[in-house]
Amino acid sequence: MRTGTNHLFIPGPTNVPEDVRMAMNVAMQDQRGPEFGALTLGILADLRQVFRTTTGQVMLFPGSGTGAWEAAITNTLNPGDRVLMARHGQFSTLWAEMATRLGLVVDVIDVAWGAGVPVSEFMRRLAADRKGEIKAVFVTHNETATGVTSDVAAVRRVLDDCFHDALLFVDGVSSVGSIDFRMDDWGVDLAVTGSQKGLMCPAGLGILGVSEKAMAASEKSTMRRAYFEFRDMGATTKTGYFPYTPPTQILHGLRRALDRINAEGLDNVIARHARLAEGVRRGVAAWGLMTCAEHPSLASNTVTAIRVPDGVDAREVIRIGYERYNASFGSGLARLAGKVFRIGHLGDLNEGMCLTALSVAEMALVEAGADIEFGSGVAAAQAWYAQGRMAQATLRMAAE
Ligand code: PLP
């Protein structure tokens, strides 16, 4: 018998706030009835703000981030097209694998799992591509497996500097709604996310931001697709209805989740994630441990992958955290299995929750054999959080 709450510190699905869960507790409704269209249209309008696009359109496919990857590829590219991407963690690896399976020729640049997208190598390849054979560049904005955030704006600059016409695909599954994401400013053509991370809902929706250029490409694309057809789904953006039965409960939850984001303010949501993440990183540093991210400038504000010391198995840390303390940490994926555990710090989260994560992780680490001083990580994070809150209070008082 496990008592108390399960502390969910995985990087998605994230904690669904109580009011979002309650908002989903509604009777089934006619998805072709008069009110339904208004619900969807409101959600689409608000999601455009989350993607920060005024010119692109948002599409909601029943599915998940993986489905949205597939929708992005199959609607805009052609069989045999060459695409450029970096492999620097399990999610970029899976995306490259999917692209290959769907019949694209993938120019993969392998870099360390912990590095960001190699912008200068992208520059070299794109500059050399005089004939414009590279049809798309794929960027995993936030590699959830390693806790690394890459510089999408820099990739856009490279494309522009090379006068290259390739479409820019960005996986924002663990960044959109939590880390600064600017679809229009960065010239993102296909932005991909899901409902279960920064958007604080259950899994069930693959969400896409689609630029005008990508929409135009979809008119000519010859890849096979049926369920994920932009043309059919695009009609939704005009009427608010779906070409097939939508997950109405999740949409009601998403409405409430977007209300929460609007009430807090997207900029504040992003700043909160940055503040909370920094506390977690300070905790990790106080333990004397390294993050998987190779440089502080790459550190993700939604997930921290922590390298365990030699002789400690990260799987043990995770097992102890769960079995003894009812806390769930993310595992090390693929080649990182046993070497890292991950603390997800995104979505509906506050300082107390991050301190719980650090506190349980400290116990689990020590019990798994790590030489860590109890309280060291927690104290470092407390100092950072308290300092931030006190500074905020001082600013508020000065403004009053
Ligand atoms: N891309 C990234 C960066 C992810 O973190 C994930 C899932 O965690 C995916 C893609 C796959 O998304 P989904 O599990 O929603 O299909």
Side-chain angles (χ1 to χ4, degrees):
M1 174 67 190
R2 224 173 277 281
T3 53
T5 316
N6 171 251
H7 301 289
L8 192 63
F9 300 124
I10 59 171
T14 63
N15 295 290
V16 175
E18 181 68 6
D19 58 342
V20 173
R21 276 203 291 146
M22 296 312 285
M24 290 188 286
N25 188 7
V26 287
M28 288 301 127
Q29 75 186 101
D30 176 5
Q31 88 269 17
R32 310 213 188 278
E35 282 131 35
F36 192 75
L39 170 71
T40 318
L41 288 174
I43 288 172
L44 291 170
D46 284 4
L47 281 173
R48 287 171 84 199
Q49 290 184 18
V50 174
F51 279 110
R52 297 202 206 260
T53 182
T54 55
T55 54
Q57 49 176 294
V58 170
M59 294 196 198
L60 298 170
F61 285 98
S64 71
T66 308
W69 275 350
E70 183 160 340
I73 291 171
T74 54
N75 277 277
T76 58
L77 296 171
N78 295 295
D81 273 356
R82 187 171 288 279
V83 301
L84 177 64
M85 69 181 298
R87 209 158 36 190
H88 55 126
Q90 180 64 357
F91 292 101
S92 43
T93 299
L94 291 173
W95 205 12
E97 228 172 81
M98 172 187 276
T100 307
R101 279 208 236 166
L102 290 170
L104 303 178
V105 177
V106 187
D107 286 351
V108 174
I109 304 167
D110 274 306
V111 291
W113 285 33
V117 163
V119 178
S120 49
E121 182 57 19
F122 274 19
M123 174 81 164
R124 204 184 63 70
R125 305 263 184 133
L126 289 165
D129 182 33
R130 297 268 149 95
K131 292 193 192 140
E133 282 173 356
I134 297 170
K135 299 300 178 197
V137 176
F138 288 22
V139 177
T140 302
H141 184 207
N142 191 71
E143 196 16 293
T144 320
T146 57
V148 163
T149 304
S150 287
D151 189 348
V152 182
V155 176
R156 165 47 62 199
R157 275 196 300 278
V158 162
L159 280 159
D160 290 348
D161 289 350
C162 295
F163 300 101
H164 205 291
D165 212 25
L167 291 167
L168 179 56
F169 284 53
V170 180
D171 175 338
V173 172
S174 56
S175 62
V176 169
S178 317
I179 294 175
D180 195 25
F181 189 97
R182 298 176 177 269
M183 182 167 162
D184 283 0
D185 289 355
W186 299 343
V188 176
D189 292 301
L190 290 131
V192 171
T193 194
S195 46
Q196 78 277 21
K197 300 204 191 236
L199 295 174
M200 303 175 283
C201 282
L205 285 173
I207 304 172
L208 288 133
V210 184
S211 75
E212 288 172 329
K213 183 172 158 186
M215 260 338 259
S218 75
E219 295 296 322
K220 297 197 191 118
S221 151
T222 59
M223 284 187 88
R224 280 174 180 268
R225 56 191 184 267
Y227 184 81
F228 289 126
E229 170 63 60
F230 276 4
R231 197 174 298 126
D232 299 340
M233 188 52 80
T236 299
T237 40
K238 296 190 186 77
T239 64
Y241 295 91
F242 284 74
Y244 29 66
T245 314
T248 51
Q249 315 313 92
I250 298 183
L251 290 168
H252 281 286
L254 185 53
R255 175 63 273 155
R256 183 68 198 129
L258 288 164
D259 289 343
R260 290 180 71 97
I261 291 175
N262 292 340
E264 188 176 353
L266 184 57
D267 287 338
N268 294 330
V269 172
I270 290 165
R272 171 169 55 83
H273 279 81
R275 195 174 68 245
L276 295 177
E278 178 60 22
V280 171
R281 288 190 290 267
R282 287 182 181 225
V284 174
W287 294 334
L289 299 185
M290 305 288 288
T291 62
C292 195
E294 281 184 341
H295 189 268
S297 64
L298 298 169
S300 162
N301 285 338
T302 56
V303 53
T304 300
I306 300 146
R307 289 193 183 277
V308 291
D310 285 345
V312 174
D313 187 337
R315 285 168 289 219
E316 267 300 283
V317 177
I318 294 164
R319 186 188 67 75
I320 293 168
Y322 184 69
E323 287 183 2
R324 299 185 190 163
Y325 300 107
N326 204 358
S328 298
F329 297 112
S331 56
L333 299 176
R335 71 174 72 160
L336 296 178
K339 299 194 177 112
V340 310
F341 71 101
R342 293 174 298 152
I343 299 181
H345 34 79
L346 73 162
D348 183 37
L349 204 76
N350 58 28
E351 287 87 345
M353 292 158 88
C354 289
L355 291 170
T356 301
L358 289 167
S359 165
V360 173
E362 264 173 16
M363 292 189 286
L365 277 161
V366 169
E367 290 170 49
D371 182 16
I372 293 207
E373 197 184 324
F374 282 128
S376 56
V378 172
Q382 279 175 325
W384 168 253
Y385 292 146
Q387 187 188 321
R389 285 298 190 186
M390 287 189 293
Q392 275 177 351
T394 311
L395 283 174
R396 245 196 323 273
M397 268 160 55
E400 277 163 14

